[in-house]
Amino acid sequence: DRIFVCSPVDRDTFMRSYGVRDTSITVIPNGVDLRAPEKAAPLPAEWIERLADRCVLFFMGNPRYQPNLEGLKFLSEQVLPELERQRPGQFKLVVCGGEAQGAWHSDMLFAGSLPDEQLKALLHRADICLSPTFTGSGTRLKILEYMAAGRPVVSTPKGVEGLDVAADTHVVVAGPDSFAGAILNLANTPDRARTLGETGRRFVEERCDWKTRIQPLWRDAIHGLIRH
């Protein structure tokens, strides 16, 4: 009776591929809970030591999910080797959301699944957050969470699909060949990175609060129940 999707891209896919009528689809963009208290546990001493004097890159997502696994392999096999070649010993990549099997670049640190307050502690320690996404549908909640924390973001074009963010204003958008370069540029220009994080935070405050995002769900769901 009613289909809810996260972006106009998904709406158009349903209409084109499955013949669904536009009037049966409601677009509800993803959001973040800006009313949630900003509680962050102190960063454990072991993490303070492991990340000392490093530019900390951050990735959030379950490695068992195929698009995340694909992105992590890209970081391990292409991005981190290039960063190490150009800036030896400067970067560490923290991955939160689960463990991953196999061999990974030595500068990747898997933190596993963490309670919210510990996750926030690592997120707030991060210098640059990443969304190296190449496949999948919907929109990436991780990018909105990064922006809500005021962190600068580097994403592939697929990563920002459906989010209505502006490249180089809210996030840095880079393809596979320029992804490492985009990270290096932000690491070398802290003022730009800080401005990007502040602009991203304002974007989610003004447009991505769940309090307002969720209203069409109740409106259209209730309308459907009354109609039937």
Side-chain angles (χ1 to χ4, degrees), residues 40-52:
L43 199 63
E46 61 181 285
W47 280 100
I48 294 176
E49 183 178 350
R50 294 168 88 178
L51 302 177

Side-chain angles (χ1 to χ4, degrees), residues 8 64 167:
R64 291 189 297 273

Side-chain angles (χ1 to χ4, degrees), residues 38 55-60 119-131 142-155 165 169-172 186 190 192-204:
E38 277 295 313
C55 179
V56 178
L57 310 176
F58 187 85
F59 178 95
M60 180 168 57
L119 176 65
K120 287 182 178 180
L122 283 171
L123 176 56
H124 289 163
R125 171 61 182 85
D127 295 295
I128 303 169
C129 293
L130 309 178
S131 181
K142 61 167 62 71
I143 292 181
L144 298 182
E145 296 285 356
Y146 296 158
M147 295 166 69
R151 303 293 89 189
V153 179
V154 178
S155 173
V165 293
T169 299
H170 305 120
V171 300
V172 174
L186 282 180
R192 179 174 180 244
R194 182 172 56 255
T195 298
L196 197 72
E198 293 170 351
T199 304
R201 171 68 189 188
R202 287 196 297 272
F203 176 88
V204 296

Side-chain angles (χ1 to χ4, degrees), residues 59-77 95 99-104 108 110 132-135 142:
F59 178 95
M60 180 168 57
N62 189 337
R64 291 189 297 273
Y65 178 51
Q66 186 273 332
N68 288 337
L69 180 60
E70 182 181 30
L72 287 172
K73 287 182 176 179
F74 165 69
L75 295 176
S76 178
E77 296 170 6
V95 180
E99 299 295 338
Q101 302 297 319
W104 298 92
M108 295 177 74
F110 287 87
T133 307
F134 300 98
T135 56
K142 61 167 62 71

